[in-house]
Amino acid sequence: MSLKLFDLGGRTALVTGSGQGIGFSLAEGLARAGAHVVLNGRDEDKLERAAATLSDRGLGVSTAVFDVTDPDAVSAAVAGIEAGVGPIDILVNNAGIQRRAPLEDFAVETWREVMRTNVDSVFFVGQAVARHMIGRRRGKIINIASLQSEAARYSIAPYTASKGAVKNLTKGMCTDWARHGLQINAIAPGYFETPLNQALIDDPVFDSWLKTRTPAGRWGKVEELQGAAIFLASDAASFVNGQILYVDGGVLATL
């Protein structure tokens, strides 16, 4: 009985930005728990390769190529998934970018790019999917926040601002949509081995600092985020709402 709480069989999950890295790993985890996953991104070739990898592992997968920062494209794509694949039961808003520069030198257009990708997309896709979920009076939305939702580091102030917005947008979505039977929560990863962090991984000074700063003493592995996503997407989290689950190896627990 207890394992059935985590069974995602028969459900459809849309994961944005899932051609690689955290998004791909989350999609794989949800698929292994029984969901049919819809991979999203703008690079069709990358998505097809990712889909082939999951399919070869015996997992149910489709692809949806669209730009999460374009509200019209989002609405059309969500309608297409609903009609062609099935009702979206689970949404993971994962698409995001990182841009580094001293704040005094940060270009205005780059600021806007970060906000469009990291914040606007969560609103656009979340709203489009929620409109369908509300009518069915059920649905799970998982936003990907960050350790930087709580703490800043040099040269990434705009990213920090964007992930702080994701944290509070998650709470706002809960406030508006929980009454309709939806659960909206966020996963906030710490430092994980991903293409987004490759420059930091390759920097011996930062690598040493991170391992010393993290109580677990290491970088996270993307597959270690799968359990959190399965939990929040499942019936086990039926009364968990508006929460931010930090998966950071203990960074926020210590000075």
Side-chain angles (χ1 to χ4, degrees):
M1 178 63 178
S2 60
L3 290 179
K4 289 183 179 179
L5 286 173
F6 300 93
D7 181 11
L8 302 181
R11 303 183 195 185
T12 298
L14 168 62
V15 185
T16 69
S18 47
Q20 64 179 7
I22 287 175
F24 177 80
S25 184
L26 294 177
E28 180 179 23
L30 296 176
R32 288 191 182 280
H36 180 95
V37 295
V38 181
L39 304 182
N40 157 260
R42 292 180 295 183
D43 186 330
E44 185 172 4
D45 290 340
K46 180 186 289 186
L47 275 190
E48 291 301 330
R49 289 193 297 272
T53 298
L54 295 184
S55 181
D56 288 346
R57 294 171 183 171
L59 303 175
V61 59
S62 302
T63 61
V65 180
F66 64 94
D67 183 351
V68 293
T69 70
D70 179 341
D72 293 333
V74 167
S75 294
V78 168
I81 295 167
E82 288 269 336
V85 179
I88 299 170
D89 303 291
I90 303 157
L91 166 64
V92 181
N93 275 313
N94 169 76
I97 60 170
Q98 173 68 286
R99 299 288 184 261
R100 294 181 172 88
L103 188 56
E104 66 273 20
D105 299 326
F106 212 91
V108 170
E109 184 48 45
T110 306
W111 164 275
R112 290 173 178 158
E113 178 192 21
V114 170
M115 294 302 161
R116 281 196 303 269
T117 307
N118 294 2
V119 184
D120 290 0
S121 71
V122 176
F123 169 65
F124 295 152
V125 185
Q127 184 187 63
V129 171
R131 284 172 171 162
H132 293 273
M133 290 178 168
I134 287 169
R136 296 188 286 264
R137 298 200 61 79
R138 69 179 191 277
K140 306 279 190 172
I141 297 177
I142 304 169
N143 298 326
I144 303 303
S146 171
L147 173 63
Q148 271 73 45
S149 297
E150 297 292 345
R153 277 192 57 79
Y154 173 73
S155 81
I156 60 167
Y159 180 84
T160 302
S162 73
K163 290 302 184 177
V166 170
K167 179 184 77 170
N168 278 336
L169 182 54
T170 299
K171 295 181 179 184
M173 288 177 168
C174 166
T175 302
D176 275 29
W177 297 336
R179 72 193 69 187
H180 299 295
L182 280 60
Q183 288 89 51
I184 305 93
N185 297 285
I187 297 172
Y191 284 94
F192 280 75
E193 296 175 349
T194 68
L196 198 68
N197 284 329
Q198 194 59 52
L200 300 178
I201 295 167
D202 294 339
D203 181 343
V205 174
F206 187 90
D207 178 67
S208 176
W209 173 86
L210 187 278
K211 290 174 179 175
T212 301
R213 176 67 180 81
T214 304
R218 62 178 176 83
W219 292 80
K221 300 182 184 300
V222 290
E223 57 267 26
E224 292 178 300
L225 291 164
Q226 293 178 3
I230 293 168
F231 165 62
L232 292 175
S234 74
D235 292 342
S238 61
F239 202 56
V240 179
N241 230 326
Q243 300 303 304
I244 316 300
L245 176 54
Y246 292 90
V247 185
D248 66 356
V251 172
L252 285 176
T254 179
L255 292 174

Short mmCIF file of all heavy atoms in Angstrom, two decimals, residues 11 20 24 31 33-34 40 45 51 58 77 108 115-116 118 131 144 146 152 156 166 168 189 191 211 215-216 226 228:
data_model
loop_
_atom_site.label_atom_id
_atom_site.label_comp_id
_atom_site.label_asym_id
_atom_site.label_seq_id
_atom_site.Cartn_x
_atom_site.Cartn_y
_atom_site.Cartn_z
N ARG A 11 -0.07 8.48 -15.61
CA ARG A 11 -0.04 9.95 -15.57
C ARG A 11 0.93 10.49 -16.62
O ARG A 11 1.88 9.83 -17.02
CB ARG A 11 0.37 10.43 -14.18
CG ARG A 11 -0.56 9.90 -13.10
CD ARG A 11 -0.25 10.43 -11.73
NE ARG A 11 -0.93 9.63 -10.71
CZ ARG A 11 -0.93 9.90 -9.42
NH1 ARG A 11 -0.28 10.97 -8.96
NH2 ARG A 11 -1.57 9.12 -8.56
N GLN A 20 18.70 17.82 -21.27
CA GLN A 20 19.94 17.41 -20.60
C GLN A 20 19.87 17.81 -19.13
O GLN A 20 18.90 18.42 -18.68
CB GLN A 20 21.15 18.10 -21.24
CG GLN A 20 21.14 19.62 -21.09
CD GLN A 20 22.35 20.30 -21.71
OE1 GLN A 20 23.16 19.67 -22.38
NE2 GLN A 20 22.47 21.60 -21.50
N PHE A 24 16.48 16.48 -17.65
CA PHE A 24 16.48 15.12 -18.19
C PHE A 24 16.42 14.10 -17.07
O PHE A 24 15.66 13.11 -17.15
CB PHE A 24 17.73 14.89 -19.04
CG PHE A 24 17.83 13.48 -19.57
CD1 PHE A 24 17.11 13.09 -20.68
CD2 PHE A 24 18.64 12.56 -18.94
CE1 PHE A 24 17.19 11.79 -21.16
CE2 PHE A 24 18.73 11.26 -19.41
CZ PHE A 24 18.00 10.87 -20.53
N ALA A 31 9.49 8.98 -15.18
CA ALA A 31 9.15 7.88 -16.08
C ALA A 31 9.38 6.54 -15.41
O ALA A 31 8.58 5.61 -15.57
CB ALA A 31 9.98 7.99 -17.36
N ALA A 33 8.99 5.94 -12.39
CA ALA A 33 7.90 5.77 -11.43
C ALA A 33 6.58 5.50 -12.12
O ALA A 33 5.55 5.35 -11.45
CB ALA A 33 7.78 7.02 -10.55
N GLY A 34 6.60 5.45 -13.47
CA GLY A 34 5.41 5.05 -14.21
C GLY A 34 4.79 6.10 -15.11
O GLY A 34 3.89 5.79 -15.90
N ASN A 40 10.74 18.71 -23.20
CA ASN A 40 10.60 20.01 -23.86
C ASN A 40 11.96 20.68 -23.99
O ASN A 40 12.83 20.55 -23.13
CB ASN A 40 9.67 20.93 -23.08
CG ASN A 40 9.92 22.40 -23.38
OD1 ASN A 40 10.58 23.09 -22.61
ND2 ASN A 40 9.46 22.88 -24.51
N ASP A 45 16.91 18.35 -32.25
CA ASP A 45 17.85 17.23 -32.33
C ASP A 45 18.23 16.74 -30.94
O ASP A 45 18.29 15.53 -30.69
CB ASP A 45 19.09 17.64 -33.11
CG ASP A 45 18.82 17.84 -34.59
OD1 ASP A 45 17.79 17.30 -35.08
OD2 ASP A 45 19.61 18.53 -35.26
N ALA A 51 15.06 11.68 -25.96
CA ALA A 51 13.90 10.80 -26.00
C ALA A 51 14.32 9.38 -26.39
O ALA A 51 13.80 8.40 -25.83
CB ALA A 51 12.87 11.34 -26.98
N GLY A 58 13.24 1.59 -22.04
CA GLY A 58 11.91 1.04 -21.85
C GLY A 58 10.93 1.99 -21.20
O GLY A 58 9.90 1.55 -20.65
N ALA A 77 1.32 24.78 -27.52
CA ALA A 77 1.97 23.50 -27.22
C ALA A 77 1.23 22.73 -26.14
O ALA A 77 1.04 21.51 -26.24
CB ALA A 77 3.42 23.75 -26.81
N VAL A 108 21.70 45.08 -19.63
CA VAL A 108 20.24 45.13 -19.44
C VAL A 108 19.57 43.98 -20.18
O VAL A 108 18.67 43.31 -19.65
CB VAL A 108 19.68 46.49 -19.88
CG1 VAL A 108 18.15 46.45 -19.92
CG2 VAL A 108 20.15 47.60 -18.96
N MET A 115 15.50 36.84 -16.72
CA MET A 115 14.15 36.92 -16.17
C MET A 115 13.12 36.24 -17.07
O MET A 115 12.21 35.56 -16.59
CB MET A 115 13.76 38.38 -15.92
CG MET A 115 14.59 39.05 -14.85
SD MET A 115 14.48 38.20 -13.26
CE MET A 115 15.95 38.84 -12.44
N ARG A 116 13.28 36.40 -18.38
CA ARG A 116 12.35 35.74 -19.31
C ARG A 116 12.41 34.23 -19.15
O ARG A 116 11.38 33.54 -19.09
CB ARG A 116 12.69 36.11 -20.77
CG ARG A 116 12.20 37.45 -21.23
CD ARG A 116 12.24 37.54 -22.76
NE ARG A 116 13.57 37.27 -23.29
CZ ARG A 116 14.49 38.21 -23.52
NH1 ARG A 116 14.24 39.48 -23.24
NH2 ARG A 116 15.67 37.88 -24.02
N ASN A 118 13.93 32.33 -16.64
CA ASN A 118 13.82 31.74 -15.30
C ASN A 118 12.52 32.06 -14.59
O ASN A 118 12.12 31.29 -13.70
CB ASN A 118 15.00 32.19 -14.44
CG ASN A 118 16.33 31.66 -14.93
OD1 ASN A 118 16.41 30.98 -15.95
ND2 ASN A 118 17.39 31.98 -14.22
N ARG A 131 -4.73 26.02 -16.18
CA ARG A 131 -6.08 26.24 -16.71
C ARG A 131 -6.76 24.92 -17.06
O ARG A 131 -7.98 24.78 -16.91
CB ARG A 131 -6.01 27.15 -17.93
CG ARG A 131 -5.77 28.61 -17.57
CD ARG A 131 -5.51 29.47 -18.77
NE ARG A 131 -5.48 30.90 -18.43
CZ ARG A 131 -4.95 31.85 -19.18
NH1 ARG A 131 -4.38 31.53 -20.33
NH2 ARG A 131 -4.98 33.11 -18.79
N ILE A 144 11.31 24.52 -10.29
CA ILE A 144 12.70 24.32 -9.88
C ILE A 144 13.27 25.66 -9.44
O ILE A 144 13.56 26.54 -10.25
CB ILE A 144 13.54 23.69 -11.00
CG1 ILE A 144 12.91 22.36 -11.43
CG2 ILE A 144 14.97 23.46 -10.50
CD1 ILE A 144 12.73 21.33 -10.31
N SER A 146 16.12 27.15 -6.32
CA SER A 146 17.56 26.99 -6.20
C SER A 146 18.01 27.31 -4.79
O SER A 146 17.30 28.00 -4.04
CB SER A 146 18.26 27.92 -7.19
OG SER A 146 19.66 27.96 -6.98
N ALA A 152 22.97 34.45 -1.94
CA ALA A 152 23.60 35.00 -3.14
C ALA A 152 25.09 34.69 -3.16
O ALA A 152 25.71 34.45 -2.12
CB ALA A 152 23.39 36.51 -3.19
N ILE A 156 26.29 36.61 -9.70
CA ILE A 156 25.05 35.96 -10.16
C ILE A 156 23.81 36.60 -9.52
O ILE A 156 22.80 35.94 -9.32
CB ILE A 156 25.06 34.45 -9.90
CG1 ILE A 156 25.22 34.13 -8.41
CG2 ILE A 156 26.14 33.76 -10.72
CD1 ILE A 156 24.93 32.67 -8.08
N VAL A 166 10.99 32.73 -8.25
CA VAL A 166 10.39 31.41 -8.43
C VAL A 166 9.87 30.88 -7.09
O VAL A 166 8.79 30.30 -7.01
CB VAL A 166 11.40 30.43 -9.06
CG1 VAL A 166 10.86 29.00 -9.02
CG2 VAL A 166 11.70 30.84 -10.50
N ASN A 168 8.78 32.57 -4.49
CA ASN A 168 7.55 33.24 -4.08
C ASN A 168 6.42 33.06 -5.07
O ASN A 168 5.24 33.07 -4.68
CB ASN A 168 7.82 34.73 -3.82
CG ASN A 168 8.40 34.97 -2.44
OD1 ASN A 168 8.21 34.15 -1.54
ND2 ASN A 168 9.10 36.06 -2.25
N PRO A 189 17.55 22.89 -5.76
CA PRO A 189 18.83 22.18 -5.73
C PRO A 189 19.96 23.08 -5.23
O PRO A 189 19.96 24.30 -5.43
CB PRO A 189 19.07 21.80 -7.19
CG PRO A 189 17.73 21.97 -7.87
CD PRO A 189 17.06 23.08 -7.13
N TYR A 191 24.36 22.65 -5.25
CA TYR A 191 25.32 22.55 -6.35
C TYR A 191 25.39 21.12 -6.86
O TYR A 191 25.78 20.20 -6.13
CB TYR A 191 26.70 23.03 -5.89
CG TYR A 191 26.77 24.54 -5.80
CD1 TYR A 191 26.52 25.19 -4.60
CD2 TYR A 191 27.06 25.30 -6.93
CE1 TYR A 191 26.58 26.58 -4.53
CE2 TYR A 191 27.10 26.69 -6.87
CZ TYR A 191 26.87 27.32 -5.66
OH TYR A 191 26.91 28.69 -5.59
N LYS A 211 33.23 21.80 -1.77
CA LYS A 211 33.29 20.54 -1.01
C LYS A 211 33.52 20.80 0.48
O LYS A 211 33.02 20.05 1.33
CB LYS A 211 34.37 19.63 -1.59
CG LYS A 211 34.00 19.08 -2.96
CD LYS A 211 35.15 18.30 -3.59
CE LYS A 211 34.74 17.74 -4.94
NZ LYS A 211 35.88 17.07 -5.64
N PRO A 215 28.23 20.29 3.98
CA PRO A 215 28.41 19.25 4.98
C PRO A 215 28.57 17.85 4.38
O PRO A 215 29.33 17.03 4.91
CB PRO A 215 27.13 19.35 5.82
CG PRO A 215 26.77 20.79 5.75
CD PRO A 215 27.11 21.20 4.34
N ALA A 216 27.89 17.56 3.28
CA ALA A 216 28.04 16.25 2.65
C ALA A 216 29.40 16.08 1.99
O ALA A 216 29.79 14.96 1.63
CB ALA A 216 26.93 16.03 1.62
N GLN A 226 15.75 12.95 -8.16
CA GLN A 226 14.59 12.22 -8.66
C GLN A 226 13.59 11.88 -7.56
O GLN A 226 12.38 11.98 -7.76
CB GLN A 226 15.05 10.96 -9.39
CG GLN A 226 15.80 11.23 -10.67
CD GLN A 226 16.28 9.96 -11.36
OE1 GLN A 226 16.00 8.85 -10.91
NE2 GLN A 226 17.01 10.12 -12.46
N ALA A 228 12.88 13.42 -4.79
CA ALA A 228 12.10 14.59 -4.39
C ALA A 228 10.99 14.86 -5.40
O ALA A 228 9.85 15.18 -5.03
CB ALA A 228 13.00 15.80 -4.25
#
